[in-house]
Amino acid sequence: MTASPPKTFLEIPRDFVLARLRTLGLLALITLSWSMVFAAPPPLDVGFLIKTSAALLEEKQYQKALATLAPALQQYPKDPQVLNLQGAILTKLKDYAGAQKCYEEALKASPGFFPAEYNIGSLLALRQQWDPAITYYRNLLIEQPNNELVEYKLLLLLLHQGPDPDLQQKLFSMDVPSNTPAWYYASAARAYKKGDKGEAGKYLDVAKSVFGDKTEIFQQELDESGLKDAKMN
């Protein structure tokens, strides 16, 4: 009596095959769905990365700030805030060409994005292109006549370089402070220009007591202006 040959796959009953395929398919779907759960990266908290990178920038940990910002740049390469922060870090690293590109890309993504507009002018001053920097901020102030940060930056440049005394007098010509630290810092800058550090310090103390953390950008611009080291004229 000869033994029956083993059944091949094609000889297995059709109903059994379909049931088996359904089971395998269900298992495959379950396996796939669980693999997706475990393999999916956590959502990127861009706000946290920007905040952390900005804090590292303030601490002068520039390379670490860039590394922290890198995932946000990779996922959101056209986000103006991310690009502007990258530009600010590159500025501190004196990579002015790289910073310029970041600011320009930020403005392409969001025309009129003020931080990038402001920082492009700062690059001109950092490159000691004084006349173009003054012209840039004069034009920006025409576009935004109520922007006291722009007015303050223009005054610092004029005091540093000494041109156009008439325009210098027109900037912050009011006798009372405004709702920003600008008036106090403008008065302090003028006092430093005269070599009166005591008077300058009084204005700065009042500004910091009234405005607190809002003085940071004004103080940074004053520190970088060179006016604090000015000698009595």
Side-chain angles (χ1 to χ4, degrees):
M1 184 174 180
T2 59
S4 299
K7 292 183 178 180
T8 66
F9 181 78
L10 293 175
E11 293 176 301
I12 298 175
R14 180 175 177 274
D15 292 342
F16 176 81
V17 172
L18 291 176
R20 183 60 175 163
L21 287 174
R22 291 192 191 98
T23 303
L24 290 172
L26 179 60
L27 288 173
L29 287 173
I30 293 173
T31 303
L32 177 62
S33 63
W34 276 105
S35 67
M36 290 174 66
V37 169
F38 286 108
L44 191 66
D45 189 341
V46 178
F48 175 77
L49 292 178
I50 290 175
K51 184 177 179 179
T52 303
S53 181
L56 290 167
L57 172 61
E58 290 294 323
E59 296 170 2
K60 300 182 180 180
Q61 299 186 52
Y62 304 133
Q63 294 295 346
K64 192 171 181 180
L66 276 179
T68 300
L69 192 63
L73 280 165
Q74 184 174 7
Q75 188 159 339
Y76 300 100
K78 295 185 178 181
D79 185 284
Q81 294 189 60
V82 176
L83 286 165
N84 183 70
L85 180 53
Q86 184 190 27
I89 298 168
L90 293 176
T91 298
K92 291 297 184 181
L93 290 169
K94 301 187 186 304
D95 181 0
Y96 298 146
Q100 178 88 20
K101 184 178 179 181
C102 289
Y103 299 142
E104 289 174 350
E105 289 297 318
L107 288 172
K108 284 182 183 178
S110 180
F113 183 62
F114 175 71
E117 284 187 327
Y118 184 87
N119 288 334
I120 284 177
S122 293
L123 287 178
L124 292 171
L126 289 169
R127 288 166 165 158
Q128 298 186 359
Q129 298 176 14
W130 304 116
D131 290 342
I134 290 170
T135 300
Y136 182 91
Y137 282 108
R138 289 186 71 164
N139 291 335
L140 191 57
L141 187 59
I142 292 171
E143 295 174 9
Q144 302 188 30
N146 297 318
N147 192 316
E148 292 193 346
L149 179 58
V150 175
E151 186 177 359
Y152 172 66
K153 179 67 173 181
L154 177 58
L155 177 63
L156 292 180
L157 290 169
L158 292 171
L159 290 173
H160 182 272
Q161 290 304 108
D164 206 335
D166 291 337
L167 178 58
Q168 291 184 38
Q169 291 299 319
K170 291 178 182 178
L171 299 175
F172 298 102
S173 58
M174 60 282 196
D175 294 328
V176 293
S178 61
N179 294 323
T180 78
W183 183 90
Y184 293 98
Y185 273 84
S187 300
R190 286 189 165 110
Y192 277 124
K193 179 64 175 179
K194 294 186 297 183
D196 193 339
K197 295 183 179 180
E199 182 184 2
K202 292 177 183 178
Y203 284 115
L204 298 180
D205 288 342
V206 174
K208 291 173 182 176
S209 66
V210 173
F211 295 100
D213 292 344
K214 294 180 181 179
T215 62
E216 288 181 2
I217 180 63
F218 295 91
Q219 184 67 51
Q220 179 180 331
E221 291 288 11
L222 181 61
D223 292 340
E224 294 179 354
S225 70
L227 292 170
K228 292 171 69 176
D229 299 322
K231 297 180 180 180
M232 182 73 74
N233 291 336

